Amino acid sequence: MNRADLAYEQGNEEEAGRAYREAAELGDASAAFNLGCLLHNCDHVGMAAEAGTWFAAAAELGHARAMSALGRLARTRKDSDGAESFFRAAADAGDTAALFDLGHLLAEQERVAEAEECYRQAASAADVDAIYSLAVMLHNRGDVEEAERWYERAERDGDRDAMFNLGILAKERGDYEVADRWYLKAAEAGHQDAVVNLGFSARFRGDLAESEGWFLLAAEGGNSDAFCSLGLVIQEQGRLHEAQRWYAKAAAEGSRSGRDNLDALRRKMLSPGAQCFFYHGLQEVLWLKPRTRDQLERGDRWRRPPVKWKPSRPPQPAATDHRRLPPFAFDTAGLEPFDTGSVSLPWAWLDPRTGHLTTAGVADLELPMPATTAELASWRGYMARDVGRRGCLLELDVRYIGGVPSIYQLWKEKQPDNEHGFVFFASYHVPVGGRTGTLRYQAPEGQWTGTRESIVLVKTGVTTAMALPHPYDPGLEGVLAYLRSDDPSWDTMFPEHALSRTRAWSRRMENDVVIGKI
């Protein structure tokens, strides 16, 4: 990493700017582009023009992404011809992302056939924004079968807008259950409009309590479009003063339906016999929005797709020393060897798709197994209190792995770099021949934390307490609470959640693992 990149990585943009400028003045195209990005993104007046100068300098040296940057700047100036020229030059120079920008520009000009061709070329290069936008284009013109295939491809890359639009497609063909499943998946991924549509689905089924829960979740998430809908379902349940407050909030956000409903409800409350017309304004969100990438990213190395880190393999011990060989054999297809640097867990495999880690190790002491139900209950209480100092024990049991009885534990801890997120752990401790083998799984939550808990709260009732007494020690007050959403019955609703994946890993290990010599 050069001096400029290192300074930027450390958050010292002033030093990074000086270093990029020095390199750019010596003819370094990437440095010129990075300097342009820094200048474009800073708040000082007049810097945009200087940013364009450095983009132009980098473009003259053949830097494809600088050409794309000039195209986006031309778009902001309403210079469509200039933007098109720059995007075409960038695409010819090898920047496949420029094909997406060009497609979006052509679509705005209603040059649909050309735009579609650009989207298809970018989609073939795995540009997820182009894949999604191609699906929207096909969906809008009625090619729903092909649109669905492209949405599904984008969804496999984690695109929550594609999940939502798959729900719209299902709803359009009358498959309401499938639509709700897609809306639920999108909602779990953080799509607020999916939460709103789940509220509509529940209302159309006549479940006003569930509908209220979804609309409340959307409203508390900052979605002002849900205010009026929430007021209506509350009004339908006879809670007029509460409905009045939500209509007032909707009206304050500029909602005409909110204002009209507020006026009508006030007249009704003053004169119960009066005939007042209520404006429903209830309409599902049909979210078919094209994408754009007008915002410049900060530098060349941050615009490239992240390169998968290839961790070093742990040292391989001599084959004759069975005491140092991994004691567990299981299918590692799709996993990458990973060096933990830990003496106690020297063998590790990383799942590059999820970032989840499986580790294995051996201790020279044999772990005693609980022989009776009373001993198991004692273990559970002790471990609940012990784990409670740093997290929360969810499960502890005697389970068979590789035909050998073992201690199984499942627990959660706070993510060190995320105030609201959890890391879930599962482990098997297998006593064999005076030693104990340990197999462990570690699964941090993704970006959208708290969604499982929020949706479970909606499903069980908006007044339900989320925290429950700990099943192994009801009086325990640990660092983390045992939550209603931690129950395994919710795993099928959230198959991609870290906790669900942890339990799925446990079941797979119990079926697949072969125990070697320990």
Side-chain angles (χ1 to χ4, degrees):
M1 183 181 296
N2 61 38
R3 178 166 65 92
D5 289 345
L6 180 61
Y8 183 85
E9 187 87 356
Q10 295 172 344
N12 189 345
E13 294 185 8
E14 184 176 350
E15 173 60 26
R18 282 196 297 268
Y20 282 137
R21 187 181 296 274
E22 291 173 8
E25 289 173 346
L26 294 174
D28 186 314
S30 289
F33 173 69
N34 289 340
L35 178 58
C37 288
L38 282 176
L39 293 168
H40 178 83
N41 289 330
C42 74
D43 296 327
H44 296 293
V45 177
M47 290 299 185
E50 188 180 355
T53 300
W54 288 109
F55 288 141
E60 288 176 2
L61 294 169
H63 197 288
R65 290 183 177 84
M67 300 174 195
S68 291
L70 288 170
R72 287 192 291 277
L73 290 179
R75 273 193 65 184
T76 61
R77 300 193 302 269
K78 309 299 183 184
D79 181 4
S80 297
D81 292 340
E84 181 177 346
S85 297
F86 282 123
F87 289 144
R88 291 191 183 280
D92 291 341
D95 183 11
T96 56
L99 288 165
F100 166 78
D101 292 308
L102 178 59
H104 186 79
L105 179 69
L106 296 172
E108 285 184 329
Q109 299 172 2
E110 299 185 358
R111 295 158 64 182
V112 178
E114 293 175 84
E116 181 178 342
E117 178 59 28
C118 288
Y119 283 151
R120 288 188 183 277
Q121 290 183 46
S124 67
D127 186 304
V128 70
D129 290 319
I131 293 169
Y132 170 82
S133 292
L134 175 60
V136 169
M137 177 177 283
L138 295 167
H139 190 169
N140 279 329
R141 77 174 184 217
D143 293 341
V144 293
E145 290 186 4
E146 188 180 2
E148 188 167 22
R149 291 196 295 272
W150 286 108
Y151 280 141
E152 288 172 346
R153 182 171 168 184
E155 182 272 329
R156 288 195 294 272
D157 289 328
D159 192 308
R160 64 180 185 272
D161 294 336
M163 299 172 195
F164 181 81
N165 285 356
L166 282 166
I168 292 176
L169 273 179
K171 196 67 173 283
E172 287 173 350
R173 62 173 178 259
D175 200 339
Y176 301 118
E177 290 185 7
V178 171
D180 282 355
R181 284 202 295 271
W182 281 118
Y183 289 153
L184 186 61
K185 188 169 186 178
E188 185 185 5
H191 200 296
Q192 285 294 310
D193 288 330
V195 178
V196 171
N197 277 11
L198 285 166
F200 286 117
S201 294
R203 184 176 183 272
F204 298 151
R205 292 196 308 270
D207 192 337
L208 295 180
E210 182 180 339
S211 178
E212 178 187 342
W214 287 118
F215 287 140
L216 180 61
L217 181 62
E220 290 177 342
N223 190 328
S224 59
D225 293 336
F227 293 168
C228 188
S229 301
L230 178 58
L232 281 163
V233 296
I234 290 174
Q235 177 186 319
E236 288 175 306
Q237 297 174 76
R239 289 147 45 206
L240 302 186
H241 289 285
E242 196 175 341
Q244 184 180 26
R245 289 197 298 272
W246 285 108
Y247 290 150
K249 287 186 177 183
E253 293 291 331
S255 168
R256 178 176 177 179
S257 292
R259 185 180 65 249
D260 291 343
N261 274 326
L262 180 62
D263 291 342
L265 183 58
R266 284 171 175 167
R267 290 195 299 272
K268 187 75 172 177
M269 294 170 72
L270 289 172
S271 178
Q275 296 296 316
C276 298
F277 180 75
F278 287 89
Y279 298 81
H280 272 233
L282 286 178
Q283 184 175 359
E284 283 187 285
V285 182
L286 300 178
W287 203 96
L288 295 177
K289 298 179 182 178
R291 295 253 172 94
T292 181
R293 276 197 294 256
D294 288 332
Q295 295 301 313
L296 295 170
E297 297 183 36
R298 292 196 169 194
D300 192 11
R301 61 187 294 267
W302 294 276
R303 289 191 54 76
R304 289 196 298 268
V307 178
K308 286 186 178 179
W309 175 50
K310 298 294 184 183
S312 59
R313 289 178 176 271
Q316 298 299 308
T320 55
D321 184 3
H322 70 270
R323 291 170 60 85
R324 296 189 62 210
L325 292 175
F328 305 100
F330 58 94
D331 184 9
T332 59
L335 305 182
E336 298 177 352
F338 186 83
D339 187 357
T340 64
S342 169
V343 176
S344 61
L345 295 169
W347 300 283
W349 301 266
L350 178 71
D351 187 337
R353 298 164 299 177
T354 62
H356 298 176
L357 192 66
T358 301
T359 55
V362 180
D364 287 328
L365 296 176
E366 183 169 357
L367 185 71
M369 298 287 291
T372 65
T373 303
E375 286 186 12
L376 179 59
S378 178
W379 268 62
R380 285 171 168 170
Y382 170 79
M383 290 304 299
R385 292 185 291 274
D386 182 61
V387 176
R389 291 197 289 265
R390 64 183 187 280
C392 180
L393 180 68
L394 303 180
E395 297 171 12
L396 189 151
D397 209 346
V398 176
R399 294 189 182 179
Y400 281 78
I401 182 169
V404 179
S406 64
I407 296 292
Y408 167 76
Q409 295 182 84
L410 173 67
W411 72 99
K412 64 180 178 181
E413 297 178 11
K414 274 285 187 184
Q415 281 186 349
D417 54 350
N418 185 340
E419 182 181 354
H420 303 291
F422 298 130
V423 183
F424 294 91
F425 300 86
S427 67
Y428 291 91
H429 299 281
V430 188
V432 178
R435 311 183 80 210
T436 300
T438 298
L439 186 64
R440 193 171 82 173
Y441 188 72
Q442 177 176 328
E445 279 190 303
Q447 179 181 4
W448 299 99
T449 59
T451 307
R452 174 172 174 146
E453 292 80 3
S454 299
I455 292 177
V456 169
L457 190 60
V458 168
K459 285 288 188 181
T460 55
V462 295
T463 60
T464 303
M466 178 56 70
L468 297 173
H470 197 284
Y472 300 152
D473 186 348
L476 177 64
E477 295 184 4
V479 171
L480 297 178
Y482 184 92
L483 302 179
R484 194 176 298 273
S485 56
D486 293 331
D487 190 276
S489 62
W490 297 104
D491 289 354
T492 54
M493 183 177 289
F494 308 100
E496 306 301 319
H497 189 270
L499 177 55
S500 307
R501 285 185 174 273
T502 303
R503 288 197 177 101
W505 173 88
S506 302
R507 293 190 295 271
R508 189 167 64 252
M509 293 300 101
E510 289 171 20
N511 292 327
D512 297 347
V513 161
V514 176
I515 305 293
K517 291 182 178 180
I518 296 179

